[in-house]
Amino acid sequence: MAFSLFSSKNRIINLVLNDHSIRFVELKQANPPAAQKWCERFLPPGIITDGKITDLDSLSSILEECIDEWKLQRRHVRFLVPDPLVIIRKVSVPVDILDDEMKGYLYLELGSSIHLPFEEPVFDFYQLGNNGKTKDILLFAAPEQNVMEYANLLSRLKLTPVAADISPLSLYRLYHHLGRTKENEVLFTVQFDLTSVNLCIFEESVPLVMRQFSLPFNINHWELKQDSFTEIKYTGETEELVIQFEDILNEISKLSDFYRYTLTNEKKDVSKFLINGDHPMLPAIYDEMRDRFETSVEMLSLNTEAFNKQGNVPFTLLLSLGLALKEVK
């Protein structure tokens, strides 16, 4: 799964850009997962907004500085398609469509029987099963213009894009690689970042439904200390964060109920919440979810000594590490 725009290469760096940061990881080894090198750069507001590049010149200048400072020149790169751009949708197609015809069929049906909120998508699919008359397909799509804007920017800066992925799959890939998965598990992933939250429900390894929410972010209410990594401390009114968190917790409940009552007709329920993200208040969010929900809540973590003897890899980079495991057997 994910977007098949590029061919695969070796010695790949793994880049994650969102509305507030640029991060990269270079994988040293896969078993156990270990990072050889990692860095981060905080982005001022207004350069990337809701996943879309809104100030290309500034982003290009900052990324060029990062490439030079981190010594990433002329490297192959994987990157994540920002969550707000991604659609996951279940569609039905005639059962007689052959596997090698599926992509062409879906391309023809986009805009007619299959409707997306954007034109000219880049997409991939995963087959779920059939009832004898139709096949169920899980469609992953994003606007090609926005995805290629990232790819073209990286190319202009002398990097070579070789793969694009989506964050829930990267998160699940690390979770699976660490041997945490269980048979018949229904996993609800919560990627809680500083400026957005991504919710996704997996049956086994398949992301059936995903929701994305933006969080209000006023940089004047945060204290930033920038070193090799950015330390962020909230200085605004606590009540504002409480309201944000409460809204997201309500959305988590709604999506969980939607899965249980609408998607499975009460035949299945979420068996675990998996939390990850770069929000500075993530431990408090984790504690609140444990108090709020009867379902098991786990924060994604790993033995940091398996990473690098020189020190701990920040928890904010676990998503990048999941991306680095793409195509690793």
Side-chain angles (χ1 to χ4, degrees):
M1 287 178 284
F3 304 111
S4 306
L5 285 176
F6 317 103
S7 60
S8 62
K9 300 287 184 181
N10 296 323
R11 283 202 78 231
I12 302 172
I13 60 171
N14 303 278
L15 197 63
V16 175
L17 296 93
N18 55 31
D19 286 12
H20 59 277
S21 67
I22 300 172
R23 298 187 178 106
F24 103 94
V25 160
E26 183 178 344
L27 190 67
K28 180 180 181 180
Q29 63 187 45
N31 291 304
Q36 179 169 307
K37 186 178 179 182
W38 59 89
C39 289
E40 177 191 65
R41 174 76 174 265
F42 190 83
L43 284 179
I47 293 178
I48 299 177
T49 305
D50 293 330
K52 297 180 180 179
I53 299 174
T54 47
D55 188 341
L56 182 60
D57 291 341
S58 295
L59 181 59
S60 181
S61 297
I62 292 172
L63 197 51
E64 188 172 23
E65 290 175 6
C66 292
I67 291 169
D68 183 60
E69 180 182 340
W70 301 341
K71 301 185 180 353
L72 304 180
Q73 292 88 346
R74 302 187 182 280
R75 298 289 299 278
H76 297 118
V77 57
R78 297 186 189 96
F79 67 96
L80 287 185
V81 178
D83 292 331
L85 303 180
V86 179
I87 295 280
I88 299 178
R89 183 164 296 174
K90 185 178 178 181
V91 298
S92 295
V93 303
V95 73
D96 57 355
I97 302 296
L98 300 177
D99 291 352
D100 59 358
E101 298 173 343
M102 188 63 67
K103 199 141 194 173
Y105 174 85
L106 292 172
Y107 183 81
L108 291 174
E109 292 301 312
L110 288 169
S112 54
S113 65
I114 301 174
H115 298 283
L116 297 173
F118 42 78
E119 296 181 355
E120 298 186 8
V122 55
F123 66 91
D124 205 346
F125 65 92
Y126 181 83
Q127 296 195 36
L128 298 173
N130 71 80
N131 60 13
K133 294 183 178 179
T134 60
K135 293 180 182 180
D136 285 333
I137 301 294
L138 206 59
L139 183 67
F140 302 82
E144 184 175 18
Q145 177 183 351
N146 298 114
V147 175
M148 292 309 299
E149 194 169 18
Y150 283 97
N152 292 336
L153 171 59
L154 296 172
S155 297
R156 286 198 301 273
L157 296 175
K158 309 302 182 186
L159 298 177
T160 303
V162 295
D165 203 6
I166 63 176
S167 68
L169 289 177
S170 290
L171 182 60
Y172 188 88
R173 188 180 299 115
L174 178 59
Y175 175 74
H176 174 77
H177 203 84
L178 294 171
R180 308 281 178 81
T181 54
K182 295 182 179 179
E183 190 175 357
N184 300 320
E185 183 173 61
V186 178
L187 186 72
F188 191 137
T189 62
V190 180
Q191 177 73 23
F192 213 120
D193 291 328
L194 185 63
T195 55
S196 66
V197 179
N198 181 279
L199 310 178
C200 190
I201 298 179
F202 287 80
E203 280 187 1
E204 301 292 341
S205 61
V206 180
L208 287 184
V209 58
M210 185 179 78
R211 298 287 186 271
Q212 168 73 23
F213 303 94
S214 296
L215 293 177
F217 179 72
N218 185 337
I219 196 170
N220 296 320
H221 295 166
W222 295 86
E223 181 181 298
L224 276 66
K225 182 181 178 182
Q226 299 197 51
D227 196 358
S228 57
F229 267 77
T230 307
E231 294 182 19
I232 305 176
K233 182 180 179 181
Y234 185 67
T235 58
E237 294 293 331
T238 305
E239 184 63 25
E240 291 185 18
L241 280 189
V242 171
I243 292 171
Q244 288 182 27
F245 295 167
E246 188 64 32
D247 287 344
I248 295 301
L249 290 170
N250 287 336
E251 294 296 342
I252 291 172
S253 294
K254 288 179 185 178
L255 188 57
S256 183
D257 288 344
F258 173 75
Y259 173 79
R260 179 182 181 184
Y261 296 110
T262 304
L263 290 186
T264 69
N265 294 318
E266 299 188 59
K267 294 177 181 177
K268 293 184 180 180
D269 204 352
V270 170
S271 51
K272 182 190 290 184
F273 291 107
L274 181 68
I275 296 185
N276 182 54
D278 65 26
H279 200 289
M281 306 294 288
L282 196 65
I285 297 164
Y286 167 74
D287 290 339
E288 182 62 29
M289 286 189 64
R290 290 188 66 186
D291 291 340
R292 181 77 60 99
F293 300 106
E294 295 182 2
T295 305
S296 170
V297 182
E298 179 179 321
M299 187 180 295
L300 186 64
S301 62
L302 60 164
N303 178 7
T304 52
E305 290 188 6
F307 275 96
N308 192 300
K309 295 179 181 179
Q310 297 177 3
N312 295 344
V313 172
F315 69 93
T316 56
L317 284 179
L318 295 183
L319 189 60
S320 306
L321 189 64
L323 175 62
L325 292 170
K326 182 175 173 63
E327 299 168 8
V328 172
K329 303 299 183 183

